[in-house]
């Protein structure tokens, strides 16, 4: 009898541990991934990716130590200019045909203070993978009927040359036509699945 009770207790503990794992899916309809880069030194071009997906796994609703696995389709890049978008998909930049996806896999998701987190992990663009650090602000969690939704604002900057986005035409002054640094802003709505 003691063995049966011990086995049942172990089963309950394992079941509770399994239930503690939460999965969240990025809702692409209510999320956005945008980027800003300087153009001709004096202005900024803004673009976005319209096709992306991702899953976040958490042990609880605090998102401490969450695991993130996300990707986006390079072909979905949109800067509101067809000529520029075509160029961005070519080998000077992303080479969408050979490298159709940009991928991110987290390494750490650490709470800094309050609703702020530091997210780090491997970002792969083209055939280059580098560690990046992102600031993530948790906007909160809400329950609507059976649906649980959580929001994050995530910001970070990359140097495009680090990822072999190599186009480097210059102005007469020697300055780059398109800046090195790219600011990335993500507004993410996560739905618990």
């Amino acid at each position: 009898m003691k063995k049966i009770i011990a086995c049942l207790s172990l089963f309950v503990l394992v079941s509770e541990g399994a239930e503690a794992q939460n999965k969240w899916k990025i809702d692409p309809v209510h999320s956005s991934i945008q980027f800003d880069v300087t153009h001709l030194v004096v202005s900024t071009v803004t673009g976005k990716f319209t096709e992306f997906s991702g899953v976040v796994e958490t042990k609880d609703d605090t998102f401490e130590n969450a695991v993130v696995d996300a990707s986006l389709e390079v072909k979905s890049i949109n800067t509101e200019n067809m000529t520029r978008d075509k160029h961005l998909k070519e080998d000077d930049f992303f080479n969408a045909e050979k490298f159709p996806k940009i991928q991110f896999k987290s390494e750490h998701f650490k709470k800094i203070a309050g609703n702020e987190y530091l997210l780090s992990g491997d970002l792969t663009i083209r055939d280059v993978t580098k560690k990046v650090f992102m600031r993530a602000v948790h906007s909160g969690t809400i329950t609507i009927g059976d649906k649980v939704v959580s929001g994050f604002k995530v910001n970070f900057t990359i140097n495009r040359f680090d990822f072999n986005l190599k186009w480097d035409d210059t102005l007469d002054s020697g300055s780059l036509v398109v800046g090195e640094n790219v600011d990335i802003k993500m507004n993410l709505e996560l739905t618990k699945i």
Side-chain angles (χ1 to χ4, degrees):
M1 185 68 167
K2 287 182 179 178
K3 286 184 180 178
I4 292 171
I5 291 171
C7 287
L8 286 173
S9 298
L10 181 60
F11 176 76
V12 169
L13 287 171
V14 169
S15 297
E16 286 177 352
E19 288 174 8
Q21 188 76 14
N22 296 320
K23 275 193 174 181
W24 303 78
K25 183 174 141 181
I26 295 174
D27 178 355
V29 175
H30 298 103
S31 301
S32 62
I33 298 178
Q34 299 178 316
F35 60 88
D36 292 333
V37 63
T38 58
H39 182 246
L40 302 177
V41 183
V42 297
S43 65
T44 300
V45 168
T46 297
K48 62 185 176 181
F49 292 92
T50 59
E51 294 178 30
F52 49 87
S53 63
V55 174
V56 179
E57 293 187 17
T58 63
K59 291 184 180 175
D60 53 45
D61 291 338
T62 68
F63 289 92
E64 183 81 35
N65 298 314
V67 176
V68 182
D69 189 350
S71 66
L72 59 81
E73 301 291 332
V74 172
K75 68 178 182 184
S76 74
I77 197 166
N78 184 346
T79 63
E80 303 296 335
N81 181 290
M82 288 177 64
T83 303
R84 179 168 53 220
D85 293 347
K86 181 178 180 299
H87 188 199
L88 287 169
K89 294 173 193 176
E90 294 172 353
D91 195 47
D92 280 342
F93 290 97
F94 292 101
N95 193 339
E97 186 175 327
K98 189 172 181 183
F99 308 106
K101 291 185 184 295
I102 294 174
Q103 296 181 301
F104 175 77
K105 292 185 186 295
S106 70
E107 185 177 82
H108 297 292
F109 202 141
K110 182 174 175 57
K111 191 168 193 171
I112 301 169
N115 62 346
E116 292 188 32
Y117 292 79
L118 179 65
L119 173 60
S120 65
D122 291 331
L123 178 65
T124 302
I125 300 176
R126 296 178 60 107
D127 56 346
V128 178
T129 300
K130 289 195 173 289
K131 185 170 289 187
V132 294
F133 296 88
M134 309 176 187
R135 180 177 176 266
V137 177
H138 186 213
S139 308
T141 300
I142 187 169
T143 301
I144 304 169
D146 293 335
K147 189 176 178 183
V148 181
V149 177
S150 202
F152 277 92
K153 294 183 184 297
V154 181
N155 298 299
F156 66 107
T157 300
I158 62 167
N159 183 317
R160 66 182 178 88
F161 291 122
D162 288 346
F163 293 92
N164 204 21
L165 306 179
K166 58 194 174 191
W167 194 67
D168 62 356
D169 279 11
T170 57
L171 302 168
D172 291 341
S173 65
S175 299
L176 289 166
V177 172
V178 175
E180 284 182 61
N181 292 327
V182 182
D183 297 322
I184 298 154
K185 302 172 189 174
M186 297 185 283
N187 294 307
L188 303 176
E189 187 171 299
L190 309 176
T191 304
K192 190 182 279 189
I193 53 175

mmCIF file of all heavy atoms in Angstrom, residues 72-93:
data_model
loop_
_atom_site.group_PDB
_atom_site.id
_atom_site.type_symbol
_atom_site.label_atom_id
_atom_site.label_comp_id
_atom_site.label_asym_id
_atom_site.label_seq_id
_atom_site.Cartn_x
_atom_site.Cartn_y
_atom_site.Cartn_z
ATOM 1 N N LEU A 72 11.250 34.759 -38.856
ATOM 2 C CA LEU A 72 10.468 35.596 -39.773
ATOM 3 C C LEU A 72 10.892 35.331 -41.202
ATOM 4 O O LEU A 72 12.007 34.863 -41.471
ATOM 5 C CB LEU A 72 10.568 37.075 -39.409
ATOM 6 C CG LEU A 72 11.930 37.761 -39.372
ATOM 7 C CD1 LEU A 72 12.369 38.162 -40.756
ATOM 8 C CD2 LEU A 72 11.859 38.976 -38.485
ATOM 9 N N GLU A 73 9.979 35.609 -42.113
ATOM 10 C CA GLU A 73 10.201 35.380 -43.535
ATOM 11 C C GLU A 73 10.816 36.627 -44.163
ATOM 12 O O GLU A 73 10.208 37.708 -44.133
ATOM 13 C CB GLU A 73 8.882 35.056 -44.241
ATOM 14 C CG GLU A 73 8.163 33.831 -43.698
ATOM 15 C CD GLU A 73 8.897 32.546 -44.009
ATOM 16 O OE1 GLU A 73 9.610 32.488 -45.030
ATOM 17 O OE2 GLU A 73 8.751 31.588 -43.221
ATOM 18 N N VAL A 74 12.016 36.483 -44.713
ATOM 19 C CA VAL A 74 12.710 37.623 -45.318
ATOM 20 C C VAL A 74 11.900 38.212 -46.473
ATOM 21 O O VAL A 74 11.844 39.431 -46.644
ATOM 22 C CB VAL A 74 14.127 37.216 -45.795
ATOM 23 C CG1 VAL A 74 14.778 38.330 -46.592
ATOM 24 C CG2 VAL A 74 14.992 36.822 -44.599
ATOM 25 N N LYS A 75 11.223 37.360 -47.243
ATOM 26 C CA LYS A 75 10.457 37.834 -48.404
ATOM 27 C C LYS A 75 9.340 38.795 -48.003
ATOM 28 O O LYS A 75 8.821 39.527 -48.845
ATOM 29 C CB LYS A 75 9.867 36.656 -49.172
ATOM 30 C CG LYS A 75 8.774 35.927 -48.402
ATOM 31 C CD LYS A 75 8.154 34.804 -49.173
ATOM 32 C CE LYS A 75 7.040 34.165 -48.328
ATOM 33 N NZ LYS A 75 6.448 33.021 -48.950
ATOM 34 N N SER A 76 8.978 38.822 -46.714
ATOM 35 C CA SER A 76 7.880 39.684 -46.270
ATOM 36 C C SER A 76 8.339 41.095 -45.931
ATOM 37 O O SER A 76 7.540 41.911 -45.465
ATOM 38 C CB SER A 76 7.184 39.060 -45.052
ATOM 39 O OG SER A 76 7.971 39.177 -43.876
ATOM 40 N N ILE A 77 9.608 41.419 -46.182
ATOM 41 C CA ILE A 77 10.110 42.758 -45.880
ATOM 42 C C ILE A 77 9.345 43.803 -46.690
ATOM 43 O O ILE A 77 9.015 43.604 -47.855
ATOM 44 C CB ILE A 77 11.640 42.848 -46.144
ATOM 45 C CG1 ILE A 77 12.230 44.065 -45.455
ATOM 46 C CG2 ILE A 77 11.958 42.837 -47.635
ATOM 47 C CD1 ILE A 77 13.750 44.050 -45.379
ATOM 48 N N ASN A 78 9.038 44.924 -46.021
ATOM 49 C CA ASN A 78 8.229 45.955 -46.671
ATOM 50 C C ASN A 78 8.677 47.330 -46.175
ATOM 51 O O ASN A 78 8.536 47.639 -44.992
ATOM 52 C CB ASN A 78 6.753 45.730 -46.342
ATOM 53 C CG ASN A 78 5.840 46.708 -47.049
ATOM 54 O OD1 ASN A 78 6.283 47.712 -47.582
ATOM 55 N ND2 ASN A 78 4.565 46.415 -47.042
ATOM 56 N N THR A 79 9.226 48.128 -47.097
ATOM 57 C CA THR A 79 9.615 49.502 -46.765
ATOM 58 C C THR A 79 8.769 50.513 -47.539
ATOM 59 O O THR A 79 9.134 51.680 -47.659
ATOM 60 C CB THR A 79 11.106 49.742 -47.091
ATOM 61 O OG1 THR A 79 11.310 49.596 -48.494
ATOM 62 C CG2 THR A 79 12.000 48.786 -46.325
ATOM 63 N N GLU A 80 7.664 50.047 -48.095
ATOM 64 C CA GLU A 80 6.744 50.891 -48.885
ATOM 65 C C GLU A 80 7.378 51.376 -50.178
ATOM 66 O O GLU A 80 6.993 52.412 -50.718
ATOM 67 C CB GLU A 80 6.244 52.085 -48.056
ATOM 68 C CG GLU A 80 5.554 51.719 -46.761
ATOM 69 C CD GLU A 80 4.261 50.941 -46.958
ATOM 70 O OE1 GLU A 80 3.642 51.082 -48.029
ATOM 71 O OE2 GLU A 80 3.887 50.181 -46.044
ATOM 72 N N ASN A 81 8.382 50.645 -50.679
ATOM 73 C CA ASN A 81 9.012 50.993 -51.954
ATOM 74 C C ASN A 81 9.451 49.683 -52.615
ATOM 75 O O ASN A 81 10.361 49.019 -52.132
ATOM 76 C CB ASN A 81 10.214 51.916 -51.717
ATOM 77 C CG ASN A 81 10.882 52.327 -53.003
ATOM 78 O OD1 ASN A 81 11.512 51.513 -53.676
ATOM 79 N ND2 ASN A 81 10.763 53.602 -53.350
ATOM 80 N N MET A 82 8.782 49.315 -53.712
ATOM 81 C CA MET A 82 9.027 48.014 -54.341
ATOM 82 C C MET A 82 10.466 47.854 -54.831
ATOM 83 O O MET A 82 11.058 46.779 -54.708
ATOM 84 C CB MET A 82 8.051 47.818 -55.509
ATOM 85 C CG MET A 82 6.622 47.559 -55.058
ATOM 86 S SD MET A 82 5.471 47.405 -56.439
ATOM 87 C CE MET A 82 6.099 45.931 -57.226
ATOM 88 N N THR A 83 11.056 48.929 -55.365
ATOM 89 C CA THR A 83 12.434 48.861 -55.866
ATOM 90 C C THR A 83 13.401 48.588 -54.718
ATOM 91 O O THR A 83 14.287 47.737 -54.815
ATOM 92 C CB THR A 83 12.819 50.159 -56.586
ATOM 93 O OG1 THR A 83 11.885 50.390 -57.641
ATOM 94 C CG2 THR A 83 14.216 50.088 -57.150
ATOM 95 N N ARG A 84 13.217 49.317 -53.627
ATOM 96 C CA ARG A 84 14.088 49.123 -52.459
ATOM 97 C C ARG A 84 13.878 47.734 -51.861
ATOM 98 O O ARG A 84 14.842 47.050 -51.497
ATOM 99 C CB ARG A 84 13.807 50.211 -51.420
ATOM 100 C CG ARG A 84 14.643 50.070 -50.163
ATOM 101 C CD ARG A 84 14.556 51.299 -49.291
ATOM 102 N NE ARG A 84 13.184 51.653 -48.995
ATOM 103 C CZ ARG A 84 12.727 52.919 -48.956
ATOM 104 N NH1 ARG A 84 13.540 53.929 -49.171
ATOM 105 N NH2 ARG A 84 11.474 53.166 -48.689
ATOM 106 N N ASP A 85 12.622 47.292 -51.767
ATOM 107 C CA ASP A 85 12.341 45.967 -51.200
ATOM 108 C C ASP A 85 12.991 44.865 -52.034
ATOM 109 O O ASP A 85 13.530 43.901 -51.491
ATOM 110 C CB ASP A 85 10.833 45.728 -51.105
ATOM 111 C CG ASP A 85 10.164 46.650 -50.091
ATOM 112 O OD1 ASP A 85 10.894 47.289 -49.302
ATOM 113 O OD2 ASP A 85 8.927 46.732 -50.090
ATOM 114 N N LYS A 86 12.948 45.024 -53.351
ATOM 115 C CA LYS A 86 13.587 44.043 -54.248
ATOM 116 C C LYS A 86 15.095 43.995 -53.979
ATOM 117 O O LYS A 86 15.690 42.922 -53.894
ATOM 118 C CB LYS A 86 13.306 44.406 -55.705
ATOM 119 C CG LYS A 86 13.895 43.434 -56.715
ATOM 120 C CD LYS A 86 13.510 43.852 -58.143
ATOM 121 C CE LYS A 86 14.078 42.923 -59.185
ATOM 122 N NZ LYS A 86 15.526 42.850 -59.229
ATOM 123 N N HIS A 87 15.711 45.174 -53.828
ATOM 124 C CA HIS A 87 17.148 45.239 -53.562
ATOM 125 C C HIS A 87 17.476 44.580 -52.210
ATOM 126 O O HIS A 87 18.459 43.842 -52.088
ATOM 127 C CB HIS A 87 17.621 46.696 -53.583
ATOM 128 C CG HIS A 87 19.104 46.849 -53.510
ATOM 129 N ND1 HIS A 87 19.713 48.017 -53.130
ATOM 130 C CD2 HIS A 87 20.122 45.970 -53.734
ATOM 131 C CE1 HIS A 87 21.033 47.858 -53.135
ATOM 132 N NE2 HIS A 87 21.310 46.625 -53.497
ATOM 133 N N LEU A 88 16.648 44.813 -51.201
ATOM 134 C CA LEU A 88 16.888 44.232 -49.883
ATOM 135 C C LEU A 88 16.839 42.704 -49.915
ATOM 136 O O LEU A 88 17.505 42.039 -49.122
ATOM 137 C CB LEU A 88 15.869 44.760 -48.874
ATOM 138 C CG LEU A 88 16.068 46.216 -48.437
ATOM 139 C CD1 LEU A 88 14.857 46.709 -47.666
ATOM 140 C CD2 LEU A 88 17.343 46.368 -47.622
ATOM 141 N N LYS A 89 16.068 42.146 -50.842
ATOM 142 C CA LYS A 89 15.950 40.688 -50.949
ATOM 143 C C LYS A 89 17.090 40.064 -51.749
ATOM 144 O O LYS A 89 17.233 38.843 -51.795
ATOM 145 C CB LYS A 89 14.610 40.320 -51.590
ATOM 146 C CG LYS A 89 13.419 40.678 -50.731
ATOM 147 C CD LYS A 89 12.119 40.459 -51.493
ATOM 148 C CE LYS A 89 10.951 41.114 -50.775
ATOM 149 N NZ LYS A 89 9.699 41.003 -51.542
ATOM 150 N N GLU A 90 17.922 40.916 -52.384
ATOM 151 C CA GLU A 90 19.037 40.424 -53.199
ATOM 152 C C GLU A 90 20.282 40.213 -52.338
ATOM 153 O O GLU A 90 20.283 40.481 -51.140
ATOM 154 C CB GLU A 90 19.298 41.411 -54.340
ATOM 155 C CG GLU A 90 18.135 41.460 -55.339
ATOM 156 C CD GLU A 90 18.271 42.571 -56.366
ATOM 157 O OE1 GLU A 90 19.193 43.412 -56.250
ATOM 158 O OE2 GLU A 90 17.432 42.607 -57.297
ATOM 159 N N ASP A 91 21.362 39.764 -52.970
ATOM 160 C CA ASP A 91 22.557 39.358 -52.226
ATOM 161 C C ASP A 91 23.298 40.519 -51.561
ATOM 162 O O ASP A 91 24.056 40.300 -50.616
ATOM 163 C CB ASP A 91 23.513 38.584 -53.142
ATOM 164 C CG ASP A 91 24.570 37.836 -52.353
ATOM 165 O OD1 ASP A 91 24.202 37.163 -51.359
ATOM 166 O OD2 ASP A 91 25.755 37.941 -52.689
ATOM 167 N N ASP A 92 23.079 41.759 -51.995
ATOM 168 C CA ASP A 92 23.686 42.901 -51.308
ATOM 169 C C ASP A 92 23.240 42.963 -49.844
ATOM 170 O O ASP A 92 23.962 43.467 -48.990
ATOM 171 C CB ASP A 92 23.285 44.214 -51.985
ATOM 172 C CG ASP A 92 24.098 44.506 -53.232
ATOM 173 O OD1 ASP A 92 25.180 43.909 -53.394
ATOM 174 O OD2 ASP A 92 23.654 45.346 -54.045
ATOM 175 N N PHE A 93 22.036 42.458 -49.614
ATOM 176 C CA PHE A 93 21.487 42.486 -48.259
ATOM 177 C C PHE A 93 21.130 41.068 -47.796
ATOM 178 O O PHE A 93 22.008 40.308 -47.426
ATOM 179 C CB PHE A 93 20.269 43.432 -48.196
ATOM 180 C CG PHE A 93 20.639 44.887 -48.330
ATOM 181 C CD1 PHE A 93 20.548 45.532 -49.557
ATOM 182 C CD2 PHE A 93 21.090 45.610 -47.231
ATOM 183 C CE1 PHE A 93 20.898 46.870 -49.688
ATOM 184 C CE2 PHE A 93 21.439 46.953 -47.352
ATOM 185 C CZ PHE A 93 21.346 47.584 -48.587
#
